[in-house]
Amino acid sequence: MREKSLPEDSITEEEVLKILVEMKGRDLQYDRFFSTMCTRPHSIAVKAHNLFLETNLGDPGLFPGVAELEARTISIMGDLLGCPDAVGYISTGGTESNIQAIRAARSTSRVRDGNIVVPASAHFSFDKIGDLLNLDVRKADLDEDLRVDISSVEELVDDRTLAVVGIAGTTEFGQVDPIDELAKITIDREIHLHVDAAFGGFVLPFLDSDYKWDFRVAGVSSITIDPHKMGMSTIPAGGLLFRTLKDMSLLETDTHYLTVARQASLTGTRSGAAAAATYAVMIHLGRSGFRKVISYCMDLTRHLVAGAKQIGVKPVIEPVMNVVALKVKSPTVVRSELIKRGWHVSMTREPNRALRLILMPHMTHENIDLFLEDLETVLKNL
Ligand code: PLP
């Protein structure tokens, strides 16, 4: 039965739960998801989330306990990203964090309808930002390794540019832009440099690599880092961090009826549960726990790439993190054949159209092997 209006009479809890369980049964299982940057949350995150389910960080004076957990979470993330004094808040995800970072940049610059320069590989949240804030979103070319091309950024920046964006872990290829080179462009011109590390923020600190991409790069003003991606927290948990309180305070509005006089977040009511969940995973796993998670995902990545090469399929770039784009003939057809076999893969955009696979903590070697068998069959039948 599908209700088309609010039932007049109460439906028993048992009946409601029956409907819910049936619908939950229709949802697909993470085991076969290669397409998502989210994963099953860590069990400690679920426990913390449930404990703080009714809390609202939009009115923190009523919930000082969870507000303290949020503050501690921001300090820990700031420290991880090279700036223990960073300020910020737990947002609903990468999109909100990116919107807010650019809003703050616009307020600093006082150019209301200027432009932002983003890599061509930027997440589509920046197109939403252009629309919301009435900004021209200029897309810089990529080099052959799919990092942003610095000379292209230089050509696009002008005196109406209010922010430059670099990405640490691109959505499609997991590539890291040369953030230190971008900083050389922005520092002299006093332009806000925002780093979108929605995905890479919880990967790069735990890899044996020497990328310079976080607050350790002078000139980086704000960073997006999502606990509900590789941070293994519950949805919706995004992170937005600013190097200085001044930038974050530009987002504040007066609140007339709450326990606090001013509010910087985009949403009013917001989940305390997600902040508590993020805090719980971070202190439970610690650096060594995260290193293990990332090392597992990188091992899966190497396993997938080695197996793909054996069946004649090469990655577009050698993976930097646990994101792989595989070059195949007719990727659209291949993808739909794989979906028929229960494998959820996505695709990258032109001009590098390929199968896109994210090796998240829910994936296993066994499922990668099964996937590769199916991929080989699908390719043979083309
Ligand atoms: N930025 C990057 C680099 C992403 O990969 C994503 C999502 O995949 C986002 C931003 C948007 O994040 P959300 O879907 O949490 O809003």
Side-chain angles (χ1 to χ4, degrees), residues 165-377:
V165 175
I167 308 172
T170 58
T171 310
E172 289 154 294
F173 301 97
Q175 186 54 284
V176 183
D177 287 325
I179 306 297
D180 48 348
E181 296 292 320
L182 290 175
K184 286 183 194 150
I185 299 177
T186 57
I187 289 177
D188 286 348
R189 298 171 172 89
E190 295 185 7
I191 295 174
H192 187 111
L193 175 57
H194 175 64
V195 177
D196 182 357
F199 186 77
F202 277 102
V203 179
L204 289 167
F206 309 109
L207 281 180
D208 287 329
S209 62
D210 55 2
Y211 288 102
K212 293 181 180 57
W213 65 278
D214 60 11
F215 287 121
R216 277 165 270 248
V217 177
V220 169
S221 309
S222 53
I223 299 182
T224 288
I225 168 173
D226 276 359
H228 70 199
K229 295 189 170 71
M230 286 299 291
M232 304 194 67
S233 187
T234 51
I235 296 171
L240 171 61
L241 276 84
F242 290 98
R243 186 190 290 276
T244 65
L245 184 60
K246 190 179 134 276
D247 273 347
M248 165 124 154
S249 60
L250 293 166
L251 295 171
E252 288 180 352
T253 48
D254 290 334
T255 57
H256 308 292
Y257 60 92
L258 302 178
T259 51
V260 282
R262 294 177 66 75
Q263 185 177 79
S265 54
L266 183 61
T267 61
T269 300
R270 70 194 170 91
S271 165
T278 303
Y279 173 78
V281 188
M282 292 190 77
I283 62 161
H284 178 62
L285 287 182
R287 281 183 192 260
S288 62
F290 274 108
R291 268 198 296 272
K292 270 191 208 141
V293 172
I294 303 312
S295 145
Y296 175 72
C297 294
M298 292 310 291
D299 187 46
L300 293 175
T301 305
R302 284 187 291 273
H303 188 68
L304 173 76
V305 173
K309 284 181 179 167
Q310 270 175 13
I311 58 168
V313 175
K314 290 201 182 117
V316 177
I317 57 164
E318 282 305 319
V320 171
M321 51 183 79
N322 45 331
V323 180
V324 179
L326 294 177
K327 276 189 268 189
V328 291
K329 240 198 305 170
S330 315
T332 316
V333 179
V334 173
R335 180 191 185 207
S336 63
E337 286 304 315
L338 287 169
I339 289 177
K340 280 187 207 153
R341 289 164 188 256
W343 299 111
H344 292 271
V345 294
S346 55
M347 280 196 306
T348 57
R349 287 172 283 188
E350 294 294 357
N352 292 296
R353 189 64 107 191
L355 291 182
R356 166 183 175 266
L357 294 95
I358 321 296
L359 286 305
M360 294 300 287
H362 57 255
M363 191 42 66
T364 59
H365 281 77
E366 294 70 32
N367 273 356
I368 290 176
D369 291 341
L370 293 172
F371 167 79
L372 286 168
E373 275 174 31
D374 279 344
L375 177 62
E376 189 174 19
T377 311

Side-chain angles (χ1 to χ4, degrees), residues 21 81 103 112 115 215 258 306 308 312 335:
V21 169
L81 304 183
R103 251 186 85 208
R112 298 300 292 174
N115 65 71
F215 287 121
L258 302 178
R335 180 191 185 207

Side-chain angles (χ1 to χ4, degrees), residues 66-172:
V66 79
E68 168 66 21
L69 292 183
E70 180 183 43
R72 290 187 193 181
T73 308
I74 295 299
S75 294
I76 296 170
M77 291 204 285
D79 183 62
L80 191 65
L81 304 183
C83 183
D85 297 331
V87 292
Y89 75 94
I90 298 297
S91 69
T92 53
T95 300
E96 177 181 340
S97 298
N98 287 339
I99 293 171
Q100 290 282 81
I102 303 301
R103 251 186 85 208
R106 188 177 69 163
S107 299
T108 316
S109 86
R110 285 190 229 101
V111 179
R112 298 300 292 174
D113 55 354
N115 65 71
I116 58 173
V117 178
V118 308
S121 52
H123 184 260
F124 58 79
S125 47
F126 290 97
D127 296 325
K128 296 183 185 177
I129 290 168
D131 187 38
L132 279 168
L133 301 182
N134 193 27
L135 300 172
D136 179 20
V137 181
R138 299 183 172 174
K139 297 196 176 164
D141 296 338
L142 306 182
D143 65 17
E144 59 184 20
D145 294 319
L146 308 179
R147 296 186 187 98
V148 74
D149 183 309
I150 293 298
S151 55
S152 175
V153 174
E154 251 162 355
E155 273 167 31
L156 293 173
V157 165
D158 63 18
D159 57 6
R160 298 186 61 72
T161 301
L162 51 93
V164 169
V165 175
I167 308 172
T170 58
T171 310
E172 289 154 294

